[in-house]
Amino acid sequence: MSRSIRHALWISASCIALGIGSWLLWSYATSFQTVTFHYDRRLGYIELSSSNQPHFYPADNQPVKLKKGTYQLRAVGQRVDGTQHTQVIDSSTHDIKLDFDYSRAYLDTLYVGERTAIETALAVDYPRALQDYQLQHDRLYKKGDLFGASLVARDQSGDNADTLRVLMKKQGAAWTILSRPPAPVLSAPLYPEVDSQILRDINRGK
C-alpha cells in the first residue's frame, strides 16, 4: 500500500473518530436540562430521585442542571403531604412550580377548628340540611381551604334518602358552598378548578 493511500486512510479514520467524538460530546451535553424549581420553602423542601440519581434536594428558585429522564419527586416537611409522584424532565422543562398540600394528619387537626364554621355555613344556605342529613366522610383538602363530605339521610325510608355530596371552599375567613345544591355525584366538568382526585375521593365517600 502506497504512502499516499495510507495517509488518506489515516485522514479518513481521524475524521471519523473526530466526528464520533464530537457526536458523543454533543449527545452528552444535550442529555442535560437546566430546570428551576419553585416552592414555598417555609413549608418544606423537595426530594428528587431516579434510577441513575441518588436523592437530590433542589433549592427553591435556583437553576439546576439535571439529566433528562423520569424522576420521583416528593415534598418533605412536618405539615406537608409527602406522597411521591412522577416528574418527567425533557427539553421542554424549564420551570416546575410546586404547590405543597398539607398532610392528612395535619388537615384532620385543622378540621377540628373549622367544623363549626362549616356546619354553620351549610345551615345558613340549607337550614334543614343537618336536621335531615348527617355529615359523613367529612374532611378538608389541599391547604385546609377545601371541604368535602357526604350528606346521608337520617331517615333512609323517606323520599329524600339519596346520599348527597357537598363541596365547600374557604374564602378569606368564610366558607361558601360550591355544590349548589348538593348532589349525589360531583361532576368534574362543573368544578374545573378542583383536582379530579379530590372529587373522586368525595364521591367514593370513604
Side-chain angles (χ1 to χ4, degrees):
M1 184 182 295
S2 67
R3 179 179 296 178
S4 61
I5 293 177
R6 288 199 301 271
H7 183 66
L9 290 174
W10 180 85
I11 292 175
S12 297
S14 298
C15 290
I16 292 173
L18 181 61
I20 293 174
S22 298
W23 180 83
L24 289 173
L25 184 62
W26 175 84
S27 179
Y28 178 77
T30 57
S31 68
F32 289 84
Q33 180 71 7
T34 299
V35 181
T36 302
F37 292 88
H38 305 274
Y39 56 88
D40 188 348
R41 58 180 176 269
R42 296 171 299 178
L43 294 177
Y45 55 94
I46 60 173
E47 179 185 86
L48 202 64
S49 63
S50 73
S51 57
N52 300 317
Q53 169 77 52
H55 290 170
F56 177 64
Y57 304 93
D60 169 49
N61 207 32
Q62 296 292 325
V64 60
K65 186 171 287 188
L66 295 171
K67 194 167 182 63
K68 295 174 183 176
T70 301
Y71 291 79
Q72 295 302 312
L73 185 153
R74 74 182 186 98
V76 182
Q78 185 177 5
R79 297 177 176 178
V80 299
D81 180 8
T83 302
Q84 197 171 70
H85 69 271
T86 300
Q87 177 65 58
V88 175
I89 294 178
D90 55 26
S91 57
S92 66
T93 310
H94 300 287
D95 291 276
I96 299 177
K97 297 180 180 179
L98 301 166
D99 184 19
F100 294 161
D101 292 337
Y102 286 149
S103 67
R104 173 49 48 202
Y106 186 57
L107 287 170
D108 290 344
T109 299
L110 291 178
Y111 183 44
V112 174
E114 294 289 346
R115 179 163 185 162
T116 299
I118 288 171
E119 292 181 351
T120 299
L122 183 61
V124 167
D125 284 6
Y126 301 98
R128 295 194 56 83
L130 297 180
Q131 298 177 37
D132 296 339
Y133 297 85
Q134 57 182 329
L135 286 176
Q136 291 187 9
H137 316 298
D138 40 332
R139 54 174 51 184
L140 298 177
Y141 295 91
K142 302 298 284 182
K143 285 192 175 69
D145 55 355
L146 203 64
F147 170 80
S150 297
L151 288 171
V152 180
R154 297 181 185 277
D155 180 6
Q156 289 293 310
S157 64
D159 293 335
N160 299 317
D162 288 342
T163 296
L164 306 176
R165 319 296 174 190
V166 61
L167 179 66
M168 301 175 68
K169 183 176 180 61
K170 189 176 185 180
Q171 298 176 319
W175 285 93
T176 60
I177 300 176
L178 298 181
S179 53
R180 291 179 176 274
V185 176
L186 300 177
S187 179
L190 297 178
Y191 311 100
E193 74 284 3
V194 179
D195 189 327
S196 59
Q197 180 57 49
I198 293 176
L199 296 178
R200 285 194 291 269
D201 188 71
I202 298 170
N203 286 330
R204 281 197 299 266
K206 296 181 179 180

